């Protein structure tokens, strides 16, 4: 294909129907951890890119938390200028191979796509994934900027928010160090999102790109314990706190400490970070014929699909609202059903029942119906009297959210928190301590990869402006 | 990478490793632990920091080789290295002046007890130390503890050292003696031992602190695998502990939870039995 000016008329573009994603067969993939989506080939990607009308309003860009210049990279793909498309992507998005896989596009760029008004939106997410994977295979890693500012900035946490901020700051020429508590970087991309949705090789490659930009990553540093934020401020001129979600929330029903009952965090960490799905893994994971997962978000979906892959013949998602209220990505819900996951709506657990050895054997559930809308705008589930029933199970996974991580904030008393323990920030992402910025789940209390990345990108810009107003230190490290 | 500076054997299968970890050494307080992962693919396991030297930048870990992971770690020679050491984690021991305290250690729990007992002695407490072991070869740190204890009382199940029997009998005698009765008791060891100690002190209203070692993955509060019921409430040992009021802990539940990985823990128990046989020979 020769690059050149696209010649299609809008009518011709409108006539092209949305591409289909190649997927691993549902029966096969329900028994393995290989990626479900197989990606678009170059021809399919170019055809899909031609569907973009390159409209004036560009509503998709407004819908993107990191502001990727979506029509510009898509037009480049349509023209066959893949290197050009990759260059745009690299400038705008630090983790495109990740967001192309895990963003809820249907609620962001694709929802706002003008083509969605009449038919299906342009497959922005799939095109993003295509160009990110193409770039990983065909282009050289990015080089550090020629101009170095010599300003030292640290980032707490190497999840999507921290990685994005670090990448942006490094591209601006700052000297960036990330501190990660676990033994491997990536945060939720590493311990939370399963291999079948986001292969760890992709995470490794995205992180390698950031390291090529000059970002330094130190693992095994638990900020708040190993070092405190006030200590870091003696060495670094600014700090971005993105230490993520904290303690898993349990449902406060009897029996939650029975054996076989996991928080989704523990279940997924054992499988993803520790590799417990591999036969030779040293870290164990409990398995059983029936697994029940409580929750309706992406973490719950990841948990129930993982249980299916670990051999549960019945993997059941029990959600207290209905399908319409599920926060999970639509694609994941569809994939899970193809894989044989059972979705059970309008049920809430009352109690987990154990056997004589202390293992969970069943959950007592109660049926719910939808009442008036609550604070979130979703209809509140109300118990149906006399509707209790027992569902036998061997594994129960609680995926109903997390509370704020207390480790960092406990040793940084000047940091202003809200009543839930989340860090308060201003419009620039700055906390109550000058030079300390924060974003992602520690601020939002649980959101998405892309929102954390948006926070990281915004904070990086604000940190850059902050450094310009603060005089450089004569001797960094010796205040 | 964290360099192992020395590795010596304290007792059957119990090793003392001095590891270079400057940041941990600087921040560490008695009662805290680290999460150690030997190499790529290895498990993350919590180990109490027995001692630290902030000047040299080293921490001391005392490890009983009971399973694959701990066996691999104690096999690292001086000059070798450990891939990951993260910490210090958990809350530090609450140290105050009680006057007279009893510190009770069982098996390798004595290693966890050691830094805590020393901190108590440094704070001006009169420390009586009780060490229990299956046999003489399982009694560790006796001299180290004697350096600051008013007395060190040893019990062994087979009578090969000290008094034959369990530490609880000696503790009963202490409590019964008004001149030696402790104002607080710190107990670290196998769960049945800590449960038994708490049972003995409760009727006398003697404050009792136990250090728990449940199953953990990250050690930073993220997984919740280490949850224990204390006073009817679910707590995370890694962030709320590892030390708790011994009279409030649900020991039965914790004992059950420790057996989650049946085959896994059976292997651990079999390994311990194997070691006992070896020690007896």
């Amino acid at each position: 294909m020769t690059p050149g000016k696209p010649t299609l008329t809008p009518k011709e573009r409108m006539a092209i129907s949305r591409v289909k994603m190649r997927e691993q067969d549902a029966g096969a993939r329900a028994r393995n951890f290989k990626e479900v989506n197989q990606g678009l080939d170059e021809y399919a990607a170019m055809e899909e890119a031609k569907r973009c009308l390159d409209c004036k309003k560009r509503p998709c860009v407004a819908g993107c938390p990191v502001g990727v210049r979506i029509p510009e990279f898509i037009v480049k793909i349509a023209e066959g200028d893949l290197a050009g498309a990759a260059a745009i992507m690299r400038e705008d998005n630090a983790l495109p191979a990740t967001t192309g896989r895990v963003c809820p596009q249907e609620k962001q760029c694709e929802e706002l796509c003008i083509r969605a008004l009449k038919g299906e939106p342009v497959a922005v997410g799939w095109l993003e994934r295509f160009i990110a994977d193409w770039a990983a295979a065909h282009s050289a890693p990015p080089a550090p900027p020629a101009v170095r500012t010599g300003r030292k900035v640290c980032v707490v946490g190497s999840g999507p928010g921290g990685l994005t901020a670090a990448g942006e700051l490094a591209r601006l020429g700052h000297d960036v160090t990330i501190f990660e508590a676990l033994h491997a970087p990536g945060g939720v991309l590493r311990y939370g999102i399963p291999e079948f949705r986001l292969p760890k090789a992709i995470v490794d490659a995205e992180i390698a790109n950031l390291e090529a930009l000059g970002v330094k990553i130190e693992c095994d540093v638990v900020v708040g314990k190993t070092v405190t934020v006030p200590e870091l401020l003696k060495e670094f001129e600014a700090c971005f706190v993105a230490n993520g979600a904290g303690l898993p929330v349990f449902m406060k029903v009897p029996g939650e400490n029975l054996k076989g009952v996991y928080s989704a965090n523990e279940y997924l960490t054992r499988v993803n970070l520790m590799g417990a799905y591999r036969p030779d893994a040293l870290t164990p994971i409990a398995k059983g014929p029936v697994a029940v997962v409580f929750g309706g978000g992406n973490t719950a979906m990841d948990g129930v699909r993982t249980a299916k892959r670990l051999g549960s013949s019945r993997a059941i998602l029990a959600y207290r609202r209905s399908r319409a209220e599920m926060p999970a990505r639509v694609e994941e819900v569809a994939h899970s059903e193809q894989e044989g996951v059972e979705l059970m709506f309008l049920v809430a657990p009352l109690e987990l029942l154990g056997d004589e050895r202390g293992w969970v054997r069943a959950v007592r559930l109660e049926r719910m119906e939808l009442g008036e809308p609550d604070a979130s705008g979703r209809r509140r589930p109300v118990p149906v009297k006399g509707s209790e029933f027992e569902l036998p199970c061997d594994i129960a996974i609680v995926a109903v959210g997390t509370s704020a991580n207390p480790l960092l904030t406990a040793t940084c008393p000047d940091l202003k928190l809200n009543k839930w323990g989340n860090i308060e920030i201003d419009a620039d992402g700055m906390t109550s301590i000058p030079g300390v910025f924060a974003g992602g789940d520690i601020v939002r209390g649980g959101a998405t990869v892309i929102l954390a990345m948006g926070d990281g990108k915004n904070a990086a810009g604000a940190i850059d402006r902050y450094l310009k107003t603060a005089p450089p230190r004569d001797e960094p490290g010796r205040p | 990478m964290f360099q192992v500076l020395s590795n010596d054997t304290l007792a059957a299968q119990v090793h003392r490793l001095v590891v270079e970890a400057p940041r941990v050494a600087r921040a560490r307080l008695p009662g805290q632990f680290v999460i150690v992962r030997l190499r790529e693919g290895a498990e993350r396991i919590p180990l109490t920091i027995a001692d630290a030297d902030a000047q040299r930048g080293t921490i001391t870990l005392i490890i009983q080789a009971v399973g694959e992971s701990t066996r691999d770690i104690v096999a690292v020679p001086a000059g070798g290295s450990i891939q990951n050491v993260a910490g210090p984690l958990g809350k530090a021991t609450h140290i105050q002046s009680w006057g007279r305290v009893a510190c009770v250690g069982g098996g390798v729990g004595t290693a966890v007890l050691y830094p805590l007992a020393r901190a108590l002695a440094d704070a001006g407490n009169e420390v009586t130390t009780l060490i229990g072991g299956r046999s003489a070869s399982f009694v560790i740190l006796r001299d180290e503890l004697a350096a600051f204890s008013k007395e060190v009382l040893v019990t062994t199940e087979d009578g090969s050292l000290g008094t034959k029997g369990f530490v609880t009998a000696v503790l009963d005698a202490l409590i019964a003696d008004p001149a030696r009765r402790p104002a607080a008791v710190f107990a670290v060891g196998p769960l049945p031992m800590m449960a038994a100690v708490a049972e003995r002190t409760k009727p006398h209203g003697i404050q009792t602190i136990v250090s728990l070692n449940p199953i953990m993955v990250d050690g930073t509060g993220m997984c919740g695998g280490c949850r224990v019921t204390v006073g009817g409430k679910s707590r995370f040992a890694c962030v709320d502990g590892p030390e708790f009021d011994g009279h409030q802990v649900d020991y039965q539940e914790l004992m059950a939870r420790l057996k989650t990985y049946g085959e896994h823990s059976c292997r651990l128990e079999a390994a311990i039995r194997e070691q006992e046989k070896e020690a007896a020979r």
Side-chain angles (χ1 to χ4, degrees):
Chain A
M1 187 70 68
T2 350
K5 202 172 155 48
T7 50
L8 296 182
T9 64
K11 201 174 170 188
E12 285 169 325
R13 294 177 189 283
M14 290 295 287
I16 308 171
S17 53
R18 182 171 158 125
V19 68
K20 296 269 178 288
M21 171 60 79
R22 288 177 298 165
E23 292 170 359
Q24 218 199 128
D25 171 73
R29 74 184 191 233
R31 286 286 177 274
N32 70 45
F33 279 82
K34 291 187 204 124
E35 196 174 9
V36 172
N37 283 351
Q38 302 290 298
L40 304 181
D41 61 27
E42 197 171 319
Y43 175 79
M46 286 176 65
E47 279 303 294
E48 180 63 25
K50 286 176 195 160
R51 295 183 67 233
C52 175
L53 302 175
D54 194 18
C55 58
K56 276 226 158 59
K57 274 196 170 170
R58 302 164 24 121
C60 51
V61 179
C64 176
V66 298
V68 170
R69 287 166 289 162
I70 293 165
E72 293 175 41
F73 93 80
I74 291 183
V75 166
K76 292 279 185 205
I77 295 177
E79 289 172 355
D81 178 7
L82 301 184
I88 293 172
M89 186 59 76
R90 192 170 269 175
E91 268 181 42
D92 291 355
N93 183 348
L95 310 168
T98 301
T99 51
R101 286 171 167 83
V102 306
C103 257
Q105 289 95 1
E106 75 272 8
K107 290 176 189 164
Q108 297 170 355
C109 48
E110 295 186 20
E111 183 180 39
L112 298 172
C113 176
I114 195 153
R115 292 209 53 174
L117 293 174
K118 257 201 268 176
E120 291 195 283
V122 174
V124 179
W126 295 346
L127 290 173
E128 179 178 52
R129 172 197 158 125
F130 165 76
I131 202 63
D133 289 355
W134 182 90
H138 295 94
S139 43
V147 180
R148 319 283 308 163
T149 65
R151 312 296 290 270
K152 291 182 79 179
V153 183
C154 66
V155 172
V156 181
S158 64
L163 290 175
T164 301
E168 293 291 321
L169 289 162
R171 284 175 357 107
L172 292 164
H174 302 307
D175 183 347
V176 188
T177 303
I178 304 182
F179 295 105
E180 166 58 44
L182 293 173
H183 60 257
V188 72
L189 310 177
R190 177 80 55 186
Y191 72 75
I193 303 179
E195 184 75 14
F196 56 83
R197 218 151 64 79
L198 179 64
K200 297 312 146 223
I202 298 286
V203 180
D204 291 339
E206 303 248 54
I207 290 169
N209 273 343
L210 294 175
E211 287 177 322
L213 268 178
V215 173
K216 285 167 276 188
I217 304 179
E218 281 194 49
C219 289
D220 300 318
V221 179
V222 186
V223 175
K225 288 289 187 184
T226 315
V227 287
T228 63
V229 169
E231 283 165 357
L232 289 175
L233 290 176
K234 292 177 189 167
E235 194 185 336
F236 297 92
E237 297 177 70
C239 174
F240 179 58
V241 177
N243 58 341
L247 284 53
V249 171
F250 284 87
M251 304 178 296
K252 306 257 181 319
V253 299
E256 278 189 299
N257 289 359
L258 288 165
K259 285 180 283 185
V261 183
Y262 285 105
S263 74
N265 270 4
E266 180 182 2
Y267 191 74
L268 293 171
T269 299
R270 284 180 179 274
V271 174
N272 301 329
L273 176 71
M274 307 308 293
Y277 68 92
R278 295 189 204 107
D280 61 340
L282 287 171
T283 298
I285 184 100
K287 300 170 191 171
V290 183
V292 179
V293 180
F294 305 103
N298 285 313
T299 307
M301 290 303 324
D302 287 343
V304 76
R305 295 173 73 196
T306 295
K308 187 80 192 168
R309 284 160 170 78
L310 287 176
S312 290
S313 51
R314 291 189 75 191
I316 305 164
L317 182 107
Y319 182 44
R320 64 198 185 107
R321 301 182 198 244
S322 74
R323 185 186 290 264
E325 288 81 21
M326 281 182 87
R329 276 181 98 221
V330 169
E331 187 180 35
E332 310 310 333
V333 178
H335 280 165
S336 76
E337 288 188 284
Q338 293 160 9
E339 289 159 12
V341 165
E342 297 169 52
L343 304 179
M344 196 178 270
F345 296 112
L346 293 164
V347 287
L350 295 173
E351 184 179 8
L352 292 154
L353 306 164
D355 65 15
E356 66 289 344
R357 296 173 310 136
W359 278 87
V360 64
R361 64 167 178 83
V363 53
R364 201 156 58 81
L365 293 159
E366 177 176 45
R367 298 212 182 272
M368 312 294 275
E369 58 190 7
L370 293 179
E372 294 300 307
D374 62 12
S376 73
R378 296 179 298 179
R379 293 176 66 191
R380 184 194 303 274
V382 186
V384 177
K385 277 208 178 77
S387 65
E388 293 174 21
F389 66 103
E390 259 184 42
L391 176 68
C393 65
D394 310 286
I395 304 293
I397 299 163
V398 182
V400 298
T402 55
S403 61
N405 189 327
L407 294 187
L408 181 146
T409 52
T411 54
C412 191
D414 294 340
L415 214 47
K416 199 167 169 229
L417 310 177
N418 69 13
K419 64 175 171 177
W420 298 284
N422 296 107
I423 300 174
E424 290 199 345
I425 55 170
D426 66 15
D428 273 344
M430 190 148 90
T431 67
S432 54
I433 303 176
V436 178
F437 297 73
D441 280 0
I442 190 62
V443 169
R444 295 174 178 270
T448 59
V449 165
I450 190 69
L451 286 173
M453 290 175 63
D455 290 350
K457 192 165 177 173
N458 291 338
I463 288 171
D464 187 53
R465 292 191 296 278
Y466 168 83
L467 290 174
K468 283 180 178 137
T469 60
R473 290 194 196 156
D474 296 337
E475 282 180 278
R478 295 187 187 18
Chain B
M1 283 291 183
F2 297 80
Q3 198 87 31
V4 174
L5 300 181
S6 67
N7 177 346
D8 53 311
T9 308
L10 292 185
Q13 301 298 324
V14 179
H15 287 239
R16 173 162 51 200
L17 270 67
V18 176
V19 181
E20 203 165 35
R23 283 195 181 118
V24 181
R26 212 159 40 224
R28 165 267 176 188
L29 291 166
Q32 292 187 296
F33 66 93
V34 283
I35 291 273
V36 171
R37 178 174 169 267
L38 178 58
R39 64 170 80 94
E40 211 51 55
E43 277 195 280
R44 290 171 66 92
I45 58 166
L47 295 169
T48 302
I49 305 167
D51 207 349
D53 185 333
Q55 298 250 293
R56 280 179 69 209
T58 61
I59 58 171
T60 302
L61 302 174
I62 295 176
I63 307 156
Q64 183 174 26
V66 289
E68 205 166 333
S69 296
T70 44
R71 245 193 339 263
D72 287 350
I73 292 170
V74 303
V76 178
S81 60
I82 295 172
Q83 187 156 335
N84 306 98
V85 177
L89 299 168
K91 287 203 168 124
T93 306
H94 171 69
I95 302 292
Q96 68 171 69
S97 180
W98 272 275
R100 203 182 298 131
V101 297
C103 291
V104 187
V108 77
T110 310
V112 179
L113 182 75
Y114 168 71
L116 199 160
R118 201 175 61 183
L120 287 165
D122 288 347
N125 291 288
E126 181 192 299
V127 177
T128 301
T129 301
L130 284 64
I131 313 176
R134 287 167 207 271
S135 65
S137 61
F138 285 89
V139 173
I140 58 169
L141 299 175
R142 193 182 176 194
D143 296 341
E144 286 88 339
L145 284 158
F148 53 78
S149 301
K150 182 160 181 279
E151 53 180 335
V152 176
L153 305 167
V154 176
T155 63
T156 49
E157 286 168 40
D158 63 359
S160 53
L161 189 68
T163 312
K164 185 174 163 130
F166 292 101
V167 281
T168 37
V170 179
L171 181 64
D172 284 342
L174 276 189
I175 294 170
D177 181 354
R180 295 161 83 204
R181 183 192 167 116
V185 173
F186 292 79
V188 195
L191 277 179
M193 184 213 90
M194 292 191 281
V197 166
E199 204 173 284
R200 301 306 169 98
T201 56
K202 198 171 180 181
H204 304 282
I206 299 172
Q207 190 170 353
T208 300
I209 307 296
V210 295
S211 179
L212 306 180
N213 191 11
I215 295 169
M216 280 183 198
V217 184
D218 63 295
T220 64
M222 190 260 278
C223 86
C226 65
R227 59 197 189 275
V228 289
T229 300
V230 183
K233 282 171 70 179
S234 200
R235 310 288 298 276
F236 290 0
C238 69
V239 292
D240 302 322
E243 289 165 20
F244 292 102
D245 179 345
H247 296 146
Q248 304 282 324
V249 172
D250 184 340
Y251 296 99
Q252 290 303 321
E253 179 189 272
L254 183 54
M255 279 182 226
R257 285 184 65 77
L258 282 173
K259 290 187 189 126
T260 299
Y261 301 102
E263 207 192 320
H264 189 72
S265 37
C266 282
R267 224 170 56 219
L268 299 190
E269 283 158 25
I272 294 173
R273 278 196 300 275
E274 203 50 49
Q275 284 159 22
E276 280 166 20
K277 273 191 224 151
E278 223 173 84
R281 276 200 289 271

